[in-house]
Amino acid sequence: MLARLPARLRRALPVAVAVVVAVTGAVVWVAWPDSPAYTTEDATVTVRSGPNGNEPIELDTTLYLPADADGPVPAVLLAHGFGGTKRSVAGDAEDLAGLGYAVLAYTARGFGRSGGQIHLDNPDYEVRDAQRLLDWLAARPEISKDAPSDPKVGVVGGSYGGALALLLAAQDPRVDAIVPMITWNDLSRSFLPQSIGRDDIDGVFKKGWAGYFFGGTTGDPTCGRFAPDVCQAYLAMATTGRATSEAVELLRRSSPAPVLDQIKAPTLLIQGEADSLFPLSEADANARGIAATGTPVRVAWFTGGHDGGEGPASDRDRMRFLTAQWLDHYVKGEGDAPSNSFTWSRVAGFNALDRGLVTNGFSVDRYPGLGGTATQQVTLSGPPQMIANPPGGNPAAISTLPGAGALGSVASAAGVAVDLPGQHTHFESEPLDAAIDVAGAPTVSIRAASATGEAVVFVKLYDVDANGTATLPSGLIAPVRLTGLPATIAEAQPIMVTLPAIVRRIEAGHTLRVSVATSDQGYATPVEPAVYTVALGTGDTVTLPIVEGAEPIATTAALWRWVLAALLAAVALALLVVVLIARRRHRRTDTSVHEEYADTPLVVKHLRKEYADGFVAVSDVDFTVERGQVVGLLGPNGAGKTTTLRVLMGLTQPSGGEIFVFGHRLVPGSPVLSRLGALVEGPGFLPHINGTDNLKAYWQATGRPLADAHFDEAVDIAGLGDSIHRKVRKYSHGMKQRLAIAQAMLGLPELLVLDEPTDGLDPPQIAEMRRVLKRYATDGRAVLVSSHLLAEVEQTCTHAVVVNKGEIVASGQVDEIVGDSPTVQFDVTDVDAAEAVLDRLDGVRSVAWDGNGGLVVDIDGSPRSEVVAELVRAGVGVNRVVPRRRLEDAFLALVGSETRGSGDR
Amino acid sequence: MAVLDGAATGYRPGRTLTIRSEWRRQASRRRTQLALAFMVLLPLVILAAFQFGGTGDDDNGGGEFSNLIELATSGGLNFTLFTLFVSAGFLLTVVVALFCGDTIASEASWGSLRYLLAVPVPRARLLAVKLVVALAYSAVALLTLAGTALLIGTLRYGWGPLRSTVAADIPAGEGLLRLLGILGYLAVGLLVVAGLAFLLSVSTDAPLGAVGGAVLLFIVSSILDQITALGGPRNLLPTHYSDAWLGILSTPVQSDDIVKGTISAVAYATIFWSLAFWRFTRKDVVS
């Protein structure tokens, strides 16, 4: 089967198979499902909780167990964010299970398939549920334990789950470590923020975020799955836009703030920089509260958050590393104690390839808080201005889009912030001389006056570039409710406003703009219209915290730079080695002159050429071209003439045998080729330039002096007249052929090799060509002409070599070969009669028809006159008697009986 | 008369087919002239389109970088940037593939390759000279395009900072440096096409096959790169980092992907060129 395929295909087959295997392998490698490193176990766990610990509810749980565990493993209780279920943390659970932890993911009460109502991480409900789950873990044999009912366990969770981790650690000493992420310290402050240090009861209701969460549940048309007290608190605040003391009380009960001193579990706090719900200040408050009792605390910031999503891959990797390190040391008991260093990252721009954010990570050896390690003052200016509070809070300025998630990350970085004319005022700085890397909460002092004595304003810090494009970093604003204000600005007292903590590089040439606005879509503002006057307070400055000694966190980027440098060096080195090896090999090549042939233009010995597909074009060819000779290489089409000449020109590698040109062994590119002029397989010219330019371009490529070219002689030989100035594209075949012969003769090479030189020439030109070639061979030069035309070789050459089927069949002087021949051609009147007569004659060895009404007769030396006399005697008329020559005989003997070329062997 | 190696008087392997003579050989060709002329023409066409055409509202799929189009008329630097932006994906690929893919294959198709080899021009030298000249023409094309765009853009829209919304305005002086950086990265990225086209050029006698093949494979690679589901292996595609030059526009310059893209381009080009040399110095020239 295979053997019947064409040779080319047969050779291509292994390559094709290899490609198919490689592609299949790659696809399989990509598509092959990773075998999970864990097993899962779903269970509905009934826990008893509530204020008296006797209210049973069912919790939907999944336990992930590492597959390759030998013996009990430490556990991680994994809590989800608000609105999620155990499924929304499946990715994290798989990660942690891969690290060797038994992970208990569960759906909190009020969500998904778990029962009960939402009490907002209430210590009697959600936190007690989690305590019962710790009991459940303690009962499992797969979990390692500190004491009989005390499992080795860490608690990890984001947002709603993060607060649960803090509250659980405060309530249950069995928790060994916690990693609360993007969560709150004080829920009442988070939903009722105000940035001048007053009570939450006076906070500005964050209606955007509150509505986003409250509206997101199903069940009861009014309250969904919220517990009645939570529902009432929300309805009261959302209706009036003001907090009630009950609501503040309820929210504070759900907050870690009051119980931070009871947390003994080492805490890794991860907070997002793009988070208008739980800003960096929440983690800061948690960190200070927990650290106050000596519990180890570490803080890390990343560029995501409730607005920014999970951040770019570099941030995610850093958080994953920090979490694993924290749990490994404090829960598993492996690895050194994590350092106390504080790491954060800053948005550097957009990734050109995936359009995501690019961030740079930094670290300092300890957490500096929101005030930074130092501050920088930037002077603001601007007169007192009047701003209007829109009735009903509409239209309102926009700072963030709650719930937009990852979409918000690009939006907040690029800035969606919109301020409305007439509703805001701003105070601006001069362009900065040098860039400032802000990391922390800036502060600014303002004064305000209001006819009603009250005002709700939003203070924002914009980064304004040289074109005037203002960016509100992370979309964060500082809501402020002011009371007891004077009616005129002259009497107003300065008020210190703490702006939200940001991480941003303010470039040199940018200005800072502090803007004070009366409305914001995300907040409930007074319904009544009012006009406020706002001015800068003391100092006229904004204070920017900076962190000194920040070290950039090394990334793989530096590694890639080394890889690039190494690659370039390797390429350069490899190039050098290749050049050196080539030089060395060149020096080692046999340049010795074969003395015997030193004066012989061409000696071909036992030449053999077998092509890659197994076809033997030349099997054994021997011949010599001496100075002064015109040698004809004669043979039918496909006899191996052209292949011989190709090898002779260094175009193909011989499979065996040797060629010597003036005693130098010939290999492709041998310098001795420069003494050889050639026309092989037709002319080859640049079609777009004229004949002269072609000859010049060719001679230029030889790099030899122009004087050696003998241009005029060559041009004369071409005999193209004015046509030599026409583009070669327009030449006839014969004209190109003549130009090619001229090109071969440029520099009057000592050996001229011409392949079918008369192809396309007309008879006078052929005659001229014969003269030229004969003349050329004088002066010690030599010519090798290949042809399949007998007459041409006979008339042009002094010597001839007859090849057929890749082998020499005759060689020698043309005169000798041609000589007198024993065969004669008779043209007779009656062929049949003549044949009969000739058959009878003693001297005649053979009679054959030549196909044209003639007979070819081998008379073996008998006088022709006698044969003619015999024929005439027999009454056969003889029109013509032509002696046949041996060259033709040899030729016909080889090819006459078979018109197929040997190429068809 | 004959020196030790038996060569004709005046023949030195190192003097055959000089870069100058090869440069002239290519310069006389219509395709060279047309390709370079088009590099001058394209900025003029874009300028005319801005002058007489309406404002398009498609964002070209560039996301945050789409504003390059809106900012194209804000100054000479931005006009140049826009010109590069629209030609980087396809036009420059075709031009480089043309210069590098056609160079050997066209000689083979004319039959002049065997006469060069019979001069004899050493094969490695022939390849090296052809490659250097093809790369030089590619560089000239790139510089002509950018130079023309910068010239007419500055004449028409003035000399101002380089603008983009991914970063702050870049002052004109530094903007010019960034533009040169972009040109440099584009040139490095095009080495892959140059390598592929050159490899095909020594493997076939059909110049169009070499040029078209290189462009085709480049397009296939670009299409595969669009399929995000392919995941990690996409990073190995030669075109994966072709847009990384956009990182030069941000402040500070994002060089991570540029470094990776350079590694990828250099590795691919080295492999392709090595194969081309390995193949050509061994093959039987039968054309």
Side-chain angles (χ1 to χ4, degrees):
Chain A
M1 179 71 198
L2 270 180
R4 271 197 278 148
L5 290 173
R8 278 183 77 97
L9 210 61
R10 220 160 44 218
R11 265 179 301 131
L13 203 61
V15 181
V17 168
V19 168
V20 168
V21 167
V23 169
T24 313
V27 169
V28 168
W29 179 60
V30 171
W32 197 264
D34 293 331
S35 65
Y38 55 87
T39 56
T40 60
E41 202 177 289
D42 289 328
T44 304
V45 178
T46 304
V47 297
R48 288 176 181 280
S49 45
N52 302 314
N54 57 3
E55 299 169 21
I57 69 150
E58 291 184 335
L59 294 177
D60 182 21
T61 69
T62 299
L63 182 65
Y64 297 76
L65 286 167
D68 52 354
D70 44 351
V73 291
V76 170
L77 185 67
L78 189 57
H80 61 80
F82 196 89
T85 65
K86 64 176 185 179
R87 278 185 221 290
S88 46
V89 292
D92 294 332
E94 287 162 12
D95 264 6
L96 289 165
L99 293 171
Y101 293 94
V103 182
L104 180 61
Y106 74 104
T107 305
R109 62 163 62 217
F111 297 102
R113 290 192 191 147
S114 291
Q117 290 178 314
I118 302 165
H119 292 266
L120 288 185
D121 283 342
N122 187 302
D124 287 336
Y125 294 95
E126 280 87 354
V127 181
R128 195 156 287 177
D129 292 345
Q131 284 185 285
R132 298 291 81 81
L133 289 175
L134 294 188
D135 296 344
W136 186 81
L137 280 175
R140 302 278 308 201
E142 301 94 336
I143 311 295
S144 56
K145 293 169 193 70
D146 295 317
S149 61
D150 180 359
K152 280 187 192 294
V153 64
V155 186
V156 176
S159 193
Y160 193 64
L164 180 100
L166 286 160
L167 289 161
L168 179 60
Q171 192 159 321
D172 199 317
R174 290 178 294 175
V175 174
D176 296 306
I178 54 173
V179 185
M181 296 177 275
I182 57 169
T183 194
W184 67 85
N185 167 255
D186 186 335
L187 198 54
S188 66
R189 189 178 55 225
S190 295
F191 280 105
L192 298 161
Q194 43 80 43
S195 306
I196 51 173
R198 295 202 187 159
D199 280 344
D200 297 341
I201 190 98
D202 282 335
V204 185
F205 181 50
K206 206 185 267 181
K207 67 174 184 183
W209 274 112
Y212 174 74
F213 286 125
F214 198 82
T217 58
T218 55
D220 182 277
T222 314
C223 292
R225 293 180 74 179
F226 283 94
D229 55 341
V230 176
C231 181
Q232 288 311 318
Y234 171 75
L235 293 177
M237 286 193 291
T239 312
T240 62
R242 292 300 300 261
T244 60
S245 56
E246 292 81 27
V248 170
E249 187 56 34
L250 179 136
L251 291 173
R252 190 150 297 153
R253 209 167 52 230
S254 296
S255 300
V259 294
L260 288 178
D261 56 348
Q262 293 164 34
I263 296 178
K264 299 297 170 223
T267 307
L268 171 64
L269 289 159
I270 294 173
Q271 202 76 355
E273 294 158 17
D275 200 327
S276 57
L277 178 60
F278 304 127
L280 297 175
S281 53
E282 295 299 304
D284 185 61
N286 281 333
R288 280 184 281 117
I290 298 168
T293 61
T295 305
V297 174
R298 195 177 189 191
V299 181
W301 295 345
F302 71 111
T303 56
H306 281 90
D307 292 308
E310 53 184 1
S314 56
D315 272 0
R316 291 202 297 274
D317 291 345
R318 179 162 57 92
M319 296 308 129
R320 203 172 290 157
F321 171 77
L322 291 174
T323 304
Q325 188 193 30
W326 198 259
L327 293 176
D328 282 355
H329 182 72
Y330 290 112
V331 179
K332 206 187 265 180
E334 286 176 2
D336 293 336
S339 79
N340 211 18
S341 68
F342 163 61
T343 59
W344 73 101
S345 57
R346 190 177 65 213
V347 174
F350 293 100
N351 185 302
L353 296 184
D354 62 13
R355 318 289 184 210
L357 290 176
V358 173
T359 60
N360 294 334
F362 299 92
S363 91
V364 285
D365 49 13
R366 58 172 213 89
Y367 175 59
L370 298 184
T373 58
T375 58
Q376 203 154 346
Q377 315 280 330
V378 175
T379 305
L380 301 169
S381 64
Q385 290 156 68
M386 312 251 273
I387 49 176
N389 179 44
N394 189 42
I398 301 169
S399 55
T400 53
L401 304 168
L407 177 71
S409 74
V410 173
S412 61
V416 293
V418 177
D419 274 330
L420 298 175
Q423 296 182 24
H424 78 282
T425 177
H426 57 258
F427 308 99
E428 201 138 350
S429 75
E430 292 294 310
L432 300 182
D433 296 332
I436 303 176
D437 289 322
V438 183
T443 53
V444 65
S445 171
I446 60 166
R447 289 177 297 145
S450 166
T452 61
E454 288 195 12
V456 170
V457 292
F458 302 92
V459 188
K460 319 175 188 185
L461 178 70
Y462 282 99
D463 173 359
V464 186
D465 73 15
N467 296 326
T469 307
T471 307
L472 182 62
S474 299
L476 297 175
I477 62 175
V480 178
R481 183 186 303 277
L482 300 164
T483 50
L485 292 177
T488 62
I489 193 72
E491 301 164 55
Q493 294 300 308
I495 304 147
M496 186 59 75
V497 178
T498 304
L499 293 162
I502 54 169
V503 176
R504 186 175 179 88
R505 182 184 178 87
I506 317 277
E507 298 287 347
H510 287 205
T511 58
L512 289 175
R513 176 188 295 165
V514 169
S515 178
V516 182
T518 56
S519 64
D520 192 278
Q521 249 187 7
Y523 292 84
T525 49
V527 181
E528 297 296 319
V531 174
Y532 316 134
T533 309
V534 180
L536 285 171
T538 49
D540 290 354
T541 59
V542 59
T543 303
L544 303 171
I546 54 176
V547 177
E548 291 168 313
E551 291 284 330
I553 296 174
T555 60
T556 50
L559 185 69
W560 284 113
R561 264 177 221 140
W562 283 109
V563 171
L564 176 60
L567 177 69
L568 291 178
V571 169
L573 191 70
L575 196 62
L576 189 71
V577 168
V578 168
V579 168
L580 285 180
I581 288 178
R583 285 248 171 105
R584 190 161 163 190
R585 203 180 277 174
H586 180 70
R587 234 179 288 131
R588 274 200 190 168
T589 41
D590 183 15
T591 53
S592 63
V593 181
H594 205 291
E595 285 302 333
E596 194 185 333
Y597 308 132
D599 204 39
T600 312
L602 179 65
V603 177
V604 177
K605 291 178 84 79
H606 303 298
L607 185 69
R608 178 181 172 84
K609 174 64 188 177
E610 183 177 348
Y611 282 107
D613 56 4
F615 174 67
V616 182
V618 175
S619 57
D620 188 8
V621 165
D622 275 286
F623 64 91
T624 305
V625 178
E626 299 284 355
R627 287 188 189 273
Q629 289 183 349
V630 179
V631 178
L633 192 59
L634 187 65
N637 289 329
K641 304 188 298 291
T642 300
T643 300
T644 307
L645 298 190
R646 269 192 207 141
V647 177
L648 183 53
M649 281 173 73
L651 298 179
T652 55
Q653 298 267 8
S655 321
E658 294 167 305
I659 296 180
F660 293 95
V661 176
F662 295 105
H664 294 273
R665 184 195 299 271
L666 190 111
V667 291
S670 289
V672 76
L673 277 170
S674 58
R675 291 163 77 179
L676 193 146
L679 160 65
V680 171
E681 286 188 281
F685 292 108
L686 312 188
H688 53 276
I689 55 177
N690 67 35
T692 321
D693 288 347
N694 253 301
L695 293 184
K696 281 186 185 152
Y698 171 78
W699 191 254
Q700 224 171 27
T702 68
R704 291 165 63 187
L706 195 61
D708 291 357
H710 303 275
F711 261 111
D712 298 339
E713 279 134 290
V715 169
D716 280 349
I717 287 161
L720 288 170
D722 283 345
S723 294
I724 200 148
H725 298 302
R726 286 169 59 201
K727 287 191 174 161
V728 168
R729 184 184 295 133
K730 296 179 176 149
Y731 280 18
S732 68
H733 182 65
M735 289 160 79
K736 282 188 198 161
Q737 187 77 8
R738 271 139 63 199
L739 191 64
I741 293 167
Q743 176 179 288
M745 287 184 183
L746 276 183
L748 302 180
E750 289 162 83
L751 175 61
L752 188 62
V753 178
L754 301 176
D755 187 16
E756 311 278 2
T758 54
D759 185 25
L761 304 193
D762 52 30
Q765 287 164 345
I766 292 175
E768 170 63 17
M769 193 53 58
R770 283 183 197 131
R771 277 194 294 281
V772 167
L773 293 184
K774 277 183 175 154
R775 201 166 57 232
Y776 193 86
T778 55
D779 300 343
R781 290 192 288 257
V783 180
L784 176 64
V785 179
S786 94
S787 180
H788 63 283
L789 299 176
L790 269 175
E792 186 175 308
V793 170
E794 215 179 306
Q795 294 175 50
T796 315
C797 302
T798 58
H799 292 69
V801 177
V802 183
V803 261
N804 189 47
K805 301 192 181 187
E807 285 177 356
I808 303 269
V809 289
S811 72
Q813 282 193 22
V814 171
D815 300 344
E816 284 175 18
I817 298 179
V818 172
D820 245 9
S821 162
T823 56
V824 177
Q825 185 176 356
F826 291 93
D827 275 7
V828 292
T829 50
D830 183 345
V831 179
D832 291 325
E835 195 175 359
V837 171
L838 292 170
D839 278 344
R840 274 189 279 108
L841 286 179
D842 283 343
V844 174
R845 279 199 297 216
S846 72
V847 180
W849 292 42
D850 76 349
N852 299 322
L855 291 169
V856 175
V857 186
D858 184 349
I859 53 174
D860 195 21
S862 312
R864 271 170 286 207
S865 51
E866 280 183 19
V867 180
V868 172
E870 282 294 330
L871 285 171
V872 172
R873 258 201 293 281
V876 178
V878 177
N879 293 328
R880 206 154 67 110
V881 178
V882 183
R884 294 239 324 183
R885 286 160 294 204
R886 270 164 64 191
L887 187 57
E888 199 169 358
D889 276 344
F891 203 78
L892 281 182
L894 293 160
V895 295
S897 57
E898 197 184 349
T899 52
R900 295 197 315 164
S902 63
D904 304 328
R905 277 175 279 180
Chain B
M1 159 174 153
V3 285
L4 193 65
D5 57 4
T9 328
Y11 172 85
R12 293 267 182 294
R15 275 199 224 148
T16 56
L17 192 68
T18 53
I19 287 180
R20 223 178 91 167
S21 57
E22 170 62 13
W23 179 271
R24 284 210 205 133
R25 244 175 131 83
Q26 301 297 334
S28 64
R29 298 188 56 191
R30 189 69 75 216
R31 67 122 170 98
T32 311
Q33 295 157 1
L34 282 178
L36 292 180
F38 192 69
M39 295 290 111
V40 176
L41 190 64
L42 181 72
L44 291 168
V45 170
I46 294 174
L47 188 77
F50 281 138
Q51 289 306 111
F52 306 116
T55 49
D57 55 359
D58 57 340
D59 78 343
N60 226 20
E64 291 300 319
F65 294 90
S66 63
N67 64 335
L68 287 179
I69 298 162
E70 291 149 32
L71 292 174
T73 56
S74 67
L77 289 171
N78 272 90
F79 183 77
T80 313
L81 190 61
F82 176 77
T83 308
L84 291 176
F85 186 73
V86 293
S87 21
F90 189 70
L91 178 70
L92 290 176
T93 305
V94 172
V95 168
V96 171
L98 181 69
F99 284 131
C100 295
D102 174 280
T103 181
I104 305 275
S106 63
E107 297 275 3
S109 75
W110 296 328
S112 48
L113 181 61
R114 55 176 177 271
Y115 294 105
L116 287 178
L117 293 178
V119 157
V121 181
R123 290 189 182 195
R125 180 180 172 82
L126 180 89
L127 274 197
V129 168
K130 287 246 167 217
L131 180 59
V132 166
V133 171
L135 291 180
Y137 270 110
S138 304
V140 166
L142 190 59
L143 290 173
T144 307
L145 181 72
T148 313
L150 190 60
L151 183 71
I152 65 170
T154 305
L155 288 178
R156 175 63 188 84
Y157 300 115
W159 182 248
L162 184 60
R163 298 181 61 190
S164 74
T165 57
V166 294
D169 284 8
I170 301 160
E174 200 197 329
L176 189 62
L177 283 181
R178 299 260 184 122
L179 208 55
L180 286 176
I182 289 171
L183 279 180
Y185 183 73
L186 282 178
V188 168
L190 288 167
L191 289 182
V192 179
V193 192
L196 186 57
F198 198 68
L199 175 58
L200 291 177
S201 193
V202 303
S203 312
T204 174
D205 298 349
L208 269 183
V211 178
V215 173
L216 181 76
L217 288 173
F218 207 72
I219 291 172
V220 168
S221 169
S222 301
I223 291 171
L224 288 178
D225 195 41
Q226 300 287 319
I227 306 170
T228 43
L230 285 177
R234 282 196 310 146
N235 294 345
L236 298 176
L237 290 171
T239 53
H240 183 68
Y241 296 100
S242 55
D243 283 342
W245 60 272
L246 291 168
I248 295 180
L249 292 177
S250 60
T251 306
V253 171
Q254 290 161 33
S255 57
D256 297 8
D257 285 329
I258 289 173
V259 169
K260 287 184 197 165
T262 308
I263 292 172
S264 166
V266 169
Y268 271 109
T270 307
I271 291 169
F272 288 142
W273 284 330
S274 305
L275 282 176
F277 273 78
W278 191 83
R279 205 182 144 76
F280 190 72
T281 47
R282 278 159 186 78
K283 85 174 216 174
D284 286 346
V285 176
V286 291
S287 57

